[in-house]
Amino acid sequence: MLNTRYLIIISALFCCSLPPFAYAQQNARGMRGTVPKGYFSSPLHRKTELSATFAELRPNHFHSGLDMRIGLNIGEPVYAPADGFVSRIKVSPWGGGKALYIDHPNGYRTVYMHLDDYAGEIGLWVDAYQRARRCYAFDACPNDTIRVKKGQLIAHAGNTGSSGGPHLHFDIRLTMNDQPINPLYFDIPYNDNIKPIIRDIKVYPAQEHSTVNGLNKAASLCGKKGWAVGADVSGPCYVGIYATDAAEGTPGKNGVERMELFVDDTLFCTYEVQTFLFEETRAVNAIMDYTEYRRSGRAYVLSRVLRGNGNNFVVAKRNRGYLRFGDGKRHKLLCKVYDEKGNMATRTFYLNDKGPWRGGTDDDGAATGAIERKGTAVSYFKRNRLQYAGFEADLEEGTLYDHDLMLYATSRCTNLVTPLHSLQPLRNPLPPHKAFRVRVMLPQEGDTSLRKSMVVVRFNGNRLAALPTTRHGLWLEARSDDFGGFGIAADTIPPSMISVNILDGMPCQAHSTLQVKISDDLSGLETYDCYVNGDWTPAAFHGPKGTLTVKPGTALKKGNNEVRFVVSDMAGNKTTQTFTVKH
């Protein structure tokens, strides 16, 4: 019998052999009952009402915290929920906007996003940092120089960054790896006595020869006339559940915490996200019906589990979540949906199996037949290098969620100086699990003087997006987080700038704001500066609105003042406008 010392050594070696993210998950999954209760107070001193909950499904990511309602009150005070120190401050025109990170002595970190401004010593530090470096956007760590006490005013809530309306985004994370955990597990005060709503259930054919109600396409069980009893199926299929949560003071569109699907009274699969790692957050695209979500905003959680989706958010008890009957019998399915407070909604439906099916017998349920002849076979667990005339793509291991077929095609595009090289997966039309590298060859003919302004661009649908580009001889290289059409375009047009509220010679009070609207048609904005009487003055850029706003403050002198805006894009094109403002 092994003694205790050897058991400890063996256990330590096993833990060290796990990948870092796997070890973190082992320590964090199922942590509802292990986190400290009552340590953190609410950062808002008002009744907690949520406009979004933890781990809601979003394009390319899980929601990492709670969106706390503040009405239309931009400037709502935000207070430190516990003692700690400011470990990071990030200001961005996009994403979380003005964000603040506080580390606490108990091993947790709290995060606040979409802030309107920072309070006290924090605000003074931000202003000094921006002026010293002549920048608005930055990401910096003040170390532990700014200490805060529980209940101290630290900021004011707002609507900065990619925000759909005034609110406070609030995270609680593990300090060691920035891993977010559902803040409601920490007993943040929140009332919810209303059960979730199961809005629809879909049944999907899994193979080319599978059918649902006689057709090879998904069937919805909740239509205009109400709920159907079930569906007729032939061949492998899987289920998608669309459910939302309601609570006091919320509109009933929040995410749910857990789903369970039973088949013939036996648990078949579960879905739950109590915590996650940011490097695995793009797995959300494989968990839901991505195409439907992009079309309608409805997040159907799917029972099927793709082999490259290596997490345990959806746990299938058998067949990786695919239903394979083939017995000609009627089968009972029961769906249970829970919110964070344990309120439950249920829905029972039936699948009538129509007997044996024809077609492929592959485990993954992927379509078989004619589609196999169209694309190049690629593996999800290997590196795949795809090489064509004038175009290359490197897909690292784990870029795809499952074995797939990549379709490559070329076409002409008037906006490009090269052909449009299109690359799309056929079996699972999802964005990649991680970004991949593309290389496009520069044109050998035409005006070579334009090469300095050329960038790699991606077409996805009707949208054109420039990608950060590097040059390697005759090739331009970029990393892309989505499939689509790729090519090279020349950016020779400077950014656009339009005055919003400034007229040359207009009077302006010291406390008034001056605003212009800026945009770039291709490579994107790189710098945006404002100078008042020759002195650099902080100008806040709001990415979604495209507005650049400056508060001249004490920089204005009596009489005429020169206010100059200078904006440049990633290709080096520059636009300057100068206004005379009276004070």
Side-chain angles (χ1 to χ4, degrees), residues 25-40:
Q25 287 178 330
Q26 293 243 343
N27 285 273
R29 302 289 189 214
M31 57 171 35
R32 173 192 282 270
T34 64
V35 301
K37 307 288 186 180
Y39 184 90
F40 296 109

Side-chain angles (χ1 to χ4, degrees), residues 120-137:
E121 185 181 357
I122 305 171
L124 294 174
W125 188 95
V126 169
D127 183 68
Y129 188 96
Q130 289 175 323
R131 290 181 182 277
R133 291 160 180 80
R134 293 192 170 192
C135 67
Y136 169 72

Side-chain angles (χ1 to χ4, degrees), residues 435-446:
F436 62 96
R437 182 172 64 89
V438 296
R439 302 177 77 215
V440 187
M441 182 175 285
L442 285 162
Q444 303 303 301
E445 300 176 354

Side-chain angles (χ1 to χ4, degrees), residues 156-187:
H156 295 91
N159 193 34
T160 58
S162 302
S163 171
H167 71 282
L168 174 68
H169 175 99
F170 176 59
D171 285 7
I172 298 181
R173 307 179 183 179
L174 290 172
T175 306
M176 65 177 182
N177 62 353
D178 226 29
Q179 182 172 352
I181 304 161
N182 192 333
L184 293 180
Y185 295 168
F186 295 79
D187 280 355

